[in-house]
Amino acid sequence: MALFREHQVTAYLAGWKRLGYTDSDITGPSDRLVDDLVLWGDAATIARRLAEVLDAGADQVLLTPSAPTFDSVVDVLVELAPAVRR
């Protein structure tokens, strides 16, 4: 299992480098890498960024809200649902 995880990490690193991220971007991590990989902000900002990602051709997007309670996570997902359902 450890080798599988190591392979997964290596694959992510190689993919990010193919996309133009530097070792410094990855080890930082740089603001650029975080902003490109993490949709953050209020619901309207996240919905706008999500639309940009989908419009750019993403066909699979994983939403994992960070919130203090399970109920809060559900509330965030409910608020973002209209942006996800196209």
Side-chain angles (χ1 to χ4, degrees):
M1 187 62 140
L3 287 176
F4 178 72
R5 283 192 195 125
E6 183 177 326
H7 175 72
Q8 285 182 312
V9 169
T10 302
Y12 276 111
L13 295 174
W16 292 334
K17 288 180 181 180
R18 278 194 308 273
L19 291 171
Y21 297 101
T22 65
D23 287 332
S24 178
D25 287 325
I26 295 167
T27 59
S30 69
D31 288 346
R32 176 179 163 237
L33 180 68
V34 172
D35 287 343
D36 288 349
L37 295 179
V38 179
L39 306 182
W40 58 275
D42 61 21
T45 301
I46 293 170
R48 182 179 43 76
R49 287 279 296 125
L50 180 58
E52 292 170 2
V53 169
L54 294 171
D55 290 344
D59 58 3
Q60 295 182 14
V61 178
L62 174 64
L63 296 177
T64 309
S66 177
T69 67
F70 178 76
D71 290 338
S72 302
V73 169
V74 171
D75 292 342
V76 170
L77 289 171
V78 167
E79 192 170 2
L80 291 174
V84 176
R85 295 176 41 204
R86 296 173 139 214

